[in-house]
Coordinates of all heavy atoms in Angstrom, one line a residue:
Y957 N 7.8 19.6 16.6 CA 7.0 18.3 17.1 C 5.7 18.3 16.3 O 5.2 17.3 15.9 CB 6.7 18.4 18.6 CG 8.0 17.8 19.3 CD1 8.9 18.8 19.8 CD2 8.2 16.5 19.6 CE1 10.0 18.4 20.7 CE2 9.3 16.1 20.3 CZ 10.2 17.0 20.8 OH 11.2 16.6 21.6
A958 N 5.0 19.5 16.3 CA 3.6 19.5 15.6 C 3.7 19.3 14.2 O 2.9 18.5 13.6 CB 3.1 21.1 16.0
T959 N 4.8 19.8 13.5 CA 4.9 19.7 12.0 C 5.3 18.2 11.8 O 4.7 17.5 10.8 CB 6.0 20.6 11.5 OG1 5.7 21.8 11.8 CG2 6.2 20.3 10.1
S960 N 6.1 17.6 12.6 CA 6.6 16.3 12.4 C 5.4 15.2 12.7 O 5.2 14.3 11.9 CB 7.8 15.9 13.4 OG 8.8 16.7 13.1
W961 N 4.7 15.5 13.7 CA 3.5 14.7 13.9 C 2.5 14.8 12.8 O 2.0 13.7 12.3 CB 2.8 15.1 15.3 CG 1.3 14.6 15.2 CD1 1.0 13.4 15.6 CD2 0.2 15.3 14.7 NE1 -0.5 13.3 15.4 CE2 -1.0 14.4 14.9 CE3 0.0 16.6 14.2 CZ2 -2.2 14.7 14.4 CZ3 -1.3 16.9 13.8 CH2 -2.4 16.1 13.9
S962 N 2.3 16.0 12.2 CA 1.3 16.1 11.2 C 1.7 15.4 9.9 O 0.9 14.9 9.3 CB 1.0 17.6 10.9 OG 2.1 18.3 10.4
L963 N 3.0 15.4 9.7 CA 3.4 14.7 8.5 C 3.3 13.3 8.5 O 2.8 12.6 7.6 CB 4.9 15.1 8.2 CG 5.4 14.5 6.8 CD1 4.5 14.7 5.6 CD2 6.8 14.9 6.5
V964 N 3.6 12.6 9.8 CA 3.5 11.3 10.0 C 2.0 10.9 9.9 O 1.6 9.9 9.3 CB 4.1 10.8 11.3 CG1 3.7 9.4 11.7 CG2 5.6 10.8 11.3
W965 N 1.1 11.7 10.5 CA -0.4 11.4 10.4 C -0.8 11.3 9.1 O -1.5 10.5 8.6 CB -1.1 12.5 11.3 CG -2.4 11.8 11.9 CD1 -2.4 11.3 13.2 CD2 -3.6 11.6 11.3 NE1 -3.8 10.8 13.4 CE2 -4.5 10.9 12.2 CE3 -4.2 11.8 10.0 CZ2 -5.7 10.6 12.0 CZ3 -5.5 11.5 9.8 CH2 -6.2 10.9 10.7
F966 N -0.4 12.4 8.2 CA -0.8 12.6 6.8 C -0.2 11.3 6.0 O -1.0 10.7 5.2 CB -0.1 13.8 6.2 CG -0.2 13.9 4.7 CD1 -1.4 14.3 4.2 CD2 0.8 13.7 4.0 CE1 -1.5 14.4 2.8 CE2 0.8 13.7 2.7 CZ -0.4 14.1 2.0
L967 N 0.9 10.9 6.3 CA 1.5 9.8 5.6 C 0.8 8.4 5.9 O 0.5 7.7 5.2 CB 3.0 9.7 5.9 CG 3.8 10.9 5.1 CD1 5.3 10.7 5.6 CD2 3.8 10.8 3.6
M968 N 0.4 8.3 7.2 CA -0.3 7.1 7.6 C -1.6 7.0 7.2 O -2.3 6.0 7.3 CB -0.3 7.0 9.2 CG 1.2 6.8 9.7 SD 2.0 5.2 9.4 CE 1.1 4.1 10.5
D969 N -2.1 8.0 6.7 CA -3.6 8.2 6.1 C -3.7 7.5 4.7 O -4.8 7.4 4.3 CB -4.0 9.5 6.1 CG -5.5 9.7 6.2 OD1 -6.1 8.8 7.0 OD2 -6.1 10.7 5.7
S970 N -2.5 7.1 4.1 CA -2.7 6.5 2.7 C -1.7 5.4 2.5 O -0.7 5.3 3.2 CB -2.5 7.5 1.7 OG -1.0 7.9 1.6
A971 N -1.9 4.5 1.6 CA -1.1 3.3 1.3 C 0.1 3.9 0.8 O 1.2 3.4 1.2 CB -1.8 2.4 0.3
E972 N 0.2 5.0 0.0 CA 1.4 5.4 -0.6 C 2.2 6.1 0.6 O 3.5 6.0 0.6 CB 1.1 6.6 -1.6 CG 2.3 7.3 -2.3 CD 2.0 8.2 -3.3 OE1 0.9 8.8 -3.3 OE2 2.8 8.6 -4.1
G973 N 1.7 6.7 1.5 CA 2.3 7.4 2.6 C 2.9 6.3 3.6 O 4.1 6.5 4.0
R974 N 2.1 5.2 3.9 CA 2.7 4.2 4.7 C 3.8 3.5 4.0 O 4.8 3.1 4.7 CB 1.6 3.1 4.9 CG 0.6 3.7 5.9 CD -0.4 2.7 6.4 NE -1.3 2.1 5.3 CZ -2.3 2.6 4.9 NH1 -2.9 3.8 5.4 NH2 -3.0 2.0 3.9
K975 N 3.9 3.3 2.7 CA 4.9 2.7 1.9 C 6.1 3.7 2.1 O 7.4 3.2 2.2 CB 4.5 2.6 0.5 CG 5.6 1.9 -0.4 CD 5.1 1.7 -1.8 CE 6.3 1.2 -2.6 NZ 5.7 1.1 -4.1
L976 N 5.9 5.0 1.9 CA 7.0 5.9 2.1 C 7.6 5.8 3.5 O 9.0 5.8 3.7 CB 6.7 7.4 1.8 CG 7.7 8.5 1.9 CD1 8.9 8.1 1.1 CD2 7.0 9.9 1.6
I977 N 6.8 5.8 4.5 CA 7.5 5.6 5.9 C 8.2 4.4 6.0 O 9.3 4.4 6.6 CB 6.2 5.7 6.9 CG1 5.8 7.2 7.1 CG2 6.7 5.2 8.3 CD1 4.7 7.3 8.0
N978 N 7.6 3.3 5.4 CA 8.4 2.0 5.6 C 9.8 2.1 4.8 O 10.8 1.8 5.4 CB 7.6 1.0 4.9 CG 8.3 -0.3 4.9 OD1 9.3 -0.6 4.2 ND2 7.9 -1.3 5.7
R979 N 9.8 2.8 3.8 CA 11.2 3.0 3.0 C 12.0 3.9 3.8 O 13.3 3.7 3.8 CB 10.9 3.7 1.6 CG 10.1 2.8 0.6 CD 11.0 1.5 0.3 NE 12.3 1.8 -0.2 CZ 12.6 1.7 -1.5 NH1 11.9 1.3 -2.4 NH2 13.9 1.9 -1.9
L980 N 11.5 5.0 4.4 CA 12.3 5.9 5.2 C 13.0 5.2 6.4 O 14.1 5.4 6.9 CB 11.6 7.0 5.7 CG 11.3 8.1 4.6 CD1 10.1 9.0 5.1 CD2 12.4 9.0 4.3
L981 N 12.2 4.1 7.0 CA 12.7 3.5 8.1 C 13.6 2.3 7.8 O 14.4 1.9 8.5 CB 11.4 2.8 8.9 CG 10.6 3.8 9.6 CD1 9.4 3.1 10.2 CD2 11.5 4.4 10.8
T982 N 13.5 1.7 6.6 CA 14.2 0.5 6.2 C 15.4 0.8 5.2 O 16.2 -0.1 5.1 CB 13.4 -0.5 5.6 OG1 12.7 -0.1 4.4 CG2 12.3 -0.9 6.6
T983 N 15.5 2.0 4.6 CA 16.6 2.2 3.8 C 17.8 2.7 4.5 O 17.8 3.7 5.1 CB 16.2 3.4 2.7 OG1 15.0 3.1 2.0 CG2 17.3 3.7 1.8
P984 N 18.9 1.7 4.3 CA 20.1 2.2 5.0 C 20.7 3.5 4.5 O 20.8 3.6 3.3 CB 21.0 1.0 4.9 CG 20.1 -0.2 4.4 CD 19.0 0.5 3.7
H985 N 21.0 4.4 5.4 CA 21.7 5.6 4.9 C 22.6 6.1 6.2 O 22.2 5.9 7.3 CB 20.7 6.6 4.6 CG 21.1 7.6 3.6 ND1 21.9 8.7 4.0 CD2 21.0 7.6 2.2 CE1 22.2 9.4 2.9 NE2 21.6 8.8 1.9
P986 N 23.8 6.5 5.9 CA 24.7 6.8 6.9 C 24.3 8.1 7.8 O 24.7 8.3 8.8 CB 26.1 7.1 6.2 CG 25.6 7.4 4.7 CD 24.4 6.7 4.5
N987 N 23.4 8.9 7.2 CA 23.0 10.1 8.0 C 21.5 10.3 7.8 O 20.9 9.6 7.1 CB 23.8 11.3 7.4 CG 23.6 11.6 6.0 OD1 22.5 11.5 5.5 ND2 24.8 11.9 5.2
T988 N 21.0 11.3 8.5 CA 19.6 11.6 8.6 C 19.0 12.6 7.6 O 17.9 12.8 7.7 CB 19.2 12.1 9.9 OG1 19.9 13.2 10.3 CG2 19.5 11.1 11.1
D989 N 19.8 13.1 6.7 CA 19.3 14.1 5.8 C 18.9 13.7 4.4 O 18.9 14.3 3.4 CB 20.3 15.4 5.7 CG 21.7 14.8 5.1 OD1 21.9 13.7 4.8 OD2 22.5 15.8 4.8
F990 N 18.5 12.4 4.4 CA 18.1 11.9 3.1 C 16.7 11.9 2.7 O 16.2 11.4 1.8 CB 18.6 10.3 3.0 CG 17.8 9.4 3.9 CD1 17.0 8.6 3.3 CD2 18.3 9.3 5.3 CE1 16.3 7.7 4.2 CE2 17.6 8.4 6.0 CZ 16.6 7.4 5.5
S991 N 15.8 12.4 3.7 CA 14.5 12.3 3.6 C 13.9 13.0 2.3 O 13.1 12.3 1.6 CB 13.8 13.1 4.7 OG 13.9 12.4 5.9
R992 N 14.4 14.2 2.0 CA 13.8 14.8 0.8 C 14.2 14.1 -0.6 O 13.3 13.8 -1.4 CB 14.3 16.1 0.8 CG 13.7 17.0 -0.4 CD 14.1 18.4 -0.3 NE 13.3 19.3 -1.2 CZ 12.8 20.4 -1.1 NH1 12.8 20.9 0.1 NH2 12.1 21.0 -1.9
E993 N 15.4 13.6 -0.5 CA 15.9 12.8 -1.7 C 15.1 11.5 -1.9 O 14.6 11.2 -3.0 CB 17.4 12.3 -1.5 CG 18.0 11.5 -2.6 CD 19.4 11.1 -2.2 OE1 20.2 12.0 -1.6 OE2 19.7 10.1 -2.4

Side-chain angles (χ1 to χ4, degrees):
Y957 283 94
T959 303
S960 299
W961 162 83
S962 70
L963 181 55
V964 167
W965 212 98
F966 168 77
L967 292 172
M968 293 295 281
D969 208 31
S970 70
E972 183 180 18
R974 290 186 299 273
K975 182 179 176 184
L976 177 58
I977 286 177
N978 183 284
R979 293 297 303 256
L980 286 161
L981 288 170
T982 59
T983 301
H985 209 279
N987 57 44
T988 58
D989 62 356
F990 71 101
S991 294
R992 191 174 185 133
E993 179 183 319

